[in-house]
């Protein structure tokens, strides 16, 4: 899977999810253009660089399987490290689409 932007080698966060196949929503809030990369429990990858409001990244994972999620928050341009807030919810991520 090709993912745009720059993230660190180590995950920003790790989530042990047991949501019984419900919705898992991840979204980033930052003053810079963000990217979000997720390594799913089955080893597959998902990513987004502008699914949230403005240039914030967001992913809604429907029927999210239980297990460990490695979550990487980065920047679309420049170095991977920048102040940001990672939101994790069972409600759909905000969107301006």
């Amino acid at each position: 899977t090709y993912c745009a932007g720059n993230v660190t080698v180590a995950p920003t966060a790790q989530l042990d999810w047991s949501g019984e196949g419900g919705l898992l929503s991840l979204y980033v809030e930052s003053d810079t253009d963000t990217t979000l990369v997720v390594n799913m429990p089955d080893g597959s990858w998902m990513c987004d660089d502008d699914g949230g409001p403005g240039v914030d990244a967001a992913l809604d994972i429907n029927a999210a399987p239980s297990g460990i999620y490695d979550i990487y928050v980065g920047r679309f341009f420049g170095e991977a490290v920048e102040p940001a807030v990672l939101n994790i919810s069972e409600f759909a991520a905000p969107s301006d689409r």
Side-chain angles (χ1 to χ4, degrees), residues 1-95:
T1 300
Y2 172 79
C3 297
N6 302 294
V7 296
T8 57
V9 174
T12 305
Q14 194 173 65
L15 174 66
D16 187 356
W17 175 255
S18 58
E20 302 301 324
L23 175 67
L24 173 60
S25 177
L26 308 168
Y27 60 98
V28 180
E29 294 176 291
S30 178
D31 291 334
T32 62
D33 194 352
T34 59
T35 189
L36 180 61
V37 179
V38 178
N39 186 3
M40 305 283 287
D42 67 1
S44 65
W45 295 84
M46 293 183 71
C47 55
D48 181 75
D49 66 275
D50 63 359
V55 293
D56 289 332
L59 285 170
D60 284 337
I61 304 168
N62 294 307
S66 295
I68 302 294
Y69 290 76
D70 290 324
I71 304 166
Y72 302 78
V73 175
R75 290 182 64 192
F76 189 79
F77 297 106
E79 297 293 321
V81 179
E82 184 71 27
V85 174
L86 171 63
N87 297 280
I88 300 171
S89 177
E90 294 179 277
F91 298 100
S95 174

